[in-house]
């Protein structure tokens, strides 16, 4: 089984030393060979120093480090920061006191690379050392174009992370912060950050969030605050997730990327946005427990969308008990109907090819397509 540890550090002069100490201690616990540990500690120090010294980002942004010991004995180290500028080694002059960090990484690591973070903010620089690494040099992955003659490496979420399981969700409050930016195809995309598992979206903190100020801080055109919301599922298993960010002190974890259809107006000012399918890039499995109500929209052709969460954005008076008569309030498209059922067995609602199809009703309750 892969073993991993991660921590975050302030962007300050002492962080490289703290990172060295953390990894040196973990290397002893993992019983890494001495030469592997020494090389990894040195290279980690260089990457953290670069992230703290050179990344031009808004104040308060932190540096994340993740170390993974794989089953084959390879140690992978990743350092993430909020700067989008991908690093390249440069030739330092003989009298330069800096500028040799990446050159050192390229010389001593068995493999290394850099890629934009999947959450849409910043980048990750990584290296690998230890037994089993092929030693074919620099490789990019996860959104960067591969270098000439070198194949892309599989994303870390596929190779090193185990699944995360959470239960006791029904009725639990959470909020979502969406960082909206242009997508590669000329449309819009949103990096979705979810507070669940970190806090219960305290109302004082949530109501104090300023979308315009957050957009400026995170350097995106628009921030959309989606909540408070309440789960109507009981359990979730997550196979891909991202890092935690702080939004004016409120912690939320990257959960998904949403491709926003052109007919949806993210400002809420005009165009249609209800009962419109949206594709969400995430890898999850929801469980709705046997013996508990399941609320769903059924479209023509028996296309069924299971309610995953209700919202207080439009109607703060909604409760878990009021959902039984929700169908009486909705202005459903022609041929659609609202259905309430109580399954005898657990209902599993799984993403397909790491994508979920979701939509919202006019109260901004969210439903996920159940593909049987």
């Amino acid at each position: 089984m892969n073993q991993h540890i991660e921590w975050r550090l302030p962007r300050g002069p002492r962080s490289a030393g703290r990172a060295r100490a953390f990894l040196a201690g973990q290397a002893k616990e993992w019983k890494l060979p001495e030469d592997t540990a020494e090389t990894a500690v040195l290279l980690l120090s260089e990457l953290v120093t670069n992230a703290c010294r050179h990344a031009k980002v808004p104040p308060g942004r932190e540096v994340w480090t993740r170390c993974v010991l794989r089953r084959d004995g390879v140690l992978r180290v990743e350092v993430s920061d909020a700067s989008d500028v991908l690093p390249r080694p440069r030739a330092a002059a003989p009298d330069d006191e800096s500028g040799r960090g990446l050159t050192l990484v390229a010389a001593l690591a068995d493999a290394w690379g850099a890629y934009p973070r999947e959450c849409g903010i910043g980048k990750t620089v990584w290296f690998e050392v230890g037994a089993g690494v092929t030693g074919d040099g620099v490789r990019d992955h996860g959104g960067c174009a591969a270098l000439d003659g070198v194949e892309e490496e599989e994303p870390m979420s596929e190779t090193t992370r185990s699944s995360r399981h959470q239960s006791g969700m029904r009725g639990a409050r959470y909020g979502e912060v969406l960082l909206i930016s242009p997508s590669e195809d000329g449309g819009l995309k949103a990096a979705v950050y979810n507070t669940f598992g970190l806090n219960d979206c305290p109302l004082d903190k949530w109501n104090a969030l300023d979308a315009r100020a957050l957009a400026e801080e995170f350097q995106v055109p628009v921030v959309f605050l989606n909540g408070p919301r309440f789960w109507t599922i009981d359990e979730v298993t997550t196979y891909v997730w991202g890092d935690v960010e702080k939004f004016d002190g409120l912690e939320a974890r990257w959960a998904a990327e949403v491709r926003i259809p052109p007919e949806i107006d993210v400002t809420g000012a005009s165009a249609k946005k209800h009962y419109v399918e949206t594709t969400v890039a995430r890898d999850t499995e929801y469980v709705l427990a046997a013996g508990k109500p399941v609320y769903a929209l059924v479209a023509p052709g028996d296309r069924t969308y299971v309610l995953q969460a209700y919202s207080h954005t439009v109607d703060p008076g909604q409760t878990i008990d009021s959902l039984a008569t929700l169908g009486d309030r909705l202005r459903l498209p022609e041929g659609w109907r609202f259905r309430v059922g109580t399954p005898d067995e657990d209902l599993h609602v799984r993403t397909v090819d790491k994508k979920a199809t979701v939509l919202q009703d006019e109260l901004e309750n969210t439903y996920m397509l159940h593909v049987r």
Side-chain angles (χ1 to χ4, degrees):
M1 176 180 292
N2 297 326
Q3 303 176 72
H4 74 276
I5 187 171
E6 60 184 70
W7 58 86
R8 56 186 176 184
L9 300 165
R11 292 180 60 245
R14 297 183 180 180
S15 289
R18 293 174 63 187
R20 288 195 301 270
F22 289 152
L23 181 52
Q26 189 62 44
K28 290 180 180 179
E29 184 174 332
W30 282 340
K31 297 181 172 59
L32 293 179
E34 185 175 344
D35 58 342
T36 298
E38 289 180 353
T39 300
V41 168
L42 173 62
L43 300 186
L44 172 61
S45 178
E46 295 294 336
L47 293 188
V48 172
T49 297
N50 281 353
C52 291
R53 182 178 297 171
H54 303 301
K56 296 180 179 179
V57 300
R61 312 262 39 93
E62 295 176 310
V63 176
W64 279 76
T65 298
R66 179 180 289 111
C67 302
V68 181
L69 181 60
R70 299 203 313 237
R71 290 186 295 266
D72 59 3
V74 173
L75 176 67
R76 181 185 179 99
V77 177
E78 299 193 340
V79 175
S80 302
D81 63 58
S83 171
D84 293 328
V85 179
L86 295 179
R88 296 297 181 200
R90 69 179 180 86
D95 57 348
D96 282 352
E97 296 182 359
S98 62
R100 296 183 175 83
L102 281 181
T103 301
L104 195 61
V105 172
L108 297 182
D110 294 295
W112 77 278
Y115 61 92
R117 290 165 69 190
E118 61 188 358
C119 61
I121 300 174
K123 66 176 179 300
T124 295
V125 184
W126 61 270
F127 66 83
E128 293 179 351
V129 291
V133 178
T134 59
D136 55 1
V138 178
R139 293 176 289 178
D140 281 344
H141 78 83
C144 288
L147 300 183
D148 291 342
V150 181
E151 295 181 354
E152 289 189 357
E153 178 176 319
E154 288 297 313
M156 181 178 176
S157 58
E158 295 293 330
T159 60
T160 61
R161 288 183 174 173
S162 57
S163 60
R164 299 172 71 240
H165 183 79
Q166 295 169 294
S167 58
M169 299 175 66
R170 188 174 292 238
R173 183 177 61 206
Y174 69 96
E176 290 181 337
V177 179
L178 280 65
L179 306 185
I180 299 173
S181 58
S183 60
E184 298 78 7
D185 59 5
L188 292 175
K189 63 181 180 180
V192 182
Y193 286 81
N194 192 305
T195 67
F196 185 73
L198 298 169
N199 56 72
D200 66 350
C201 186
L203 292 181
D204 57 341
K205 289 189 175 182
W206 181 260
N207 292 333
L209 293 179
D210 184 325
R212 290 187 178 180
L214 290 174
E216 182 176 350
E217 177 184 353
F218 285 88
Q219 300 177 348
V220 296
V222 179
V223 167
F224 179 70
L225 303 176
N226 188 26
R229 309 184 66 75
F230 300 81
W231 292 111
T232 54
I233 62 174
D234 297 285
E235 303 176 32
V236 63
T237 301
T238 305
Y239 300 94
V240 176
W241 66 95
D243 294 331
V244 175
E245 289 286 351
K246 288 184 178 179
F247 300 93
D248 199 14
L250 182 70
E251 289 192 327
R253 184 183 296 276
W254 182 92
E257 181 177 277
V258 178
R259 296 287 172 164
I260 301 174
E263 60 266 40
I264 290 183
D265 177 10
V266 296
T267 68
S270 58
K272 177 181 179 181
K273 64 178 181 178
H274 306 130
Y275 307 103
V276 176
E277 287 189 349
T278 300
T279 300
V280 180
R282 59 177 165 85
D283 195 5
T284 56
E285 181 174 5
Y286 292 158
V287 176
L288 294 94
K292 295 184 178 180
V294 173
Y295 311 97
L297 296 177
V298 183
D302 206 31
R303 193 170 172 86
T304 302
Y305 304 84
V306 174
L307 182 66
Q308 67 182 41
Y310 70 90
S311 173
H312 276 184
T313 305
V314 176
D315 179 9
Q318 281 200 106
T319 66
I320 194 77
D321 294 328
S322 71
L323 297 176
T325 57
L326 176 61
D328 297 335
R329 304 181 60 191
L330 301 180
R331 298 184 297 275
L332 296 173
E334 185 176 355
W336 290 51
R337 66 183 190 277
F338 182 80
R339 185 176 69 193
V340 182
T342 305
D344 295 328
E345 299 179 350
D346 289 350
L347 177 64
H348 294 254
V349 183
R350 183 76 163 83
T351 53
V352 178
D353 296 328
K354 300 180 184 178
K355 291 182 175 61
T357 300
V358 302
L359 55 77
Q360 291 188 336
D361 61 28
E362 59 265 39
L363 299 179
E364 299 196 8
N365 306 314
T366 304
Y367 306 74
M368 175 177 167
L369 178 65
H370 179 33
V371 181
R372 296 176 176 84

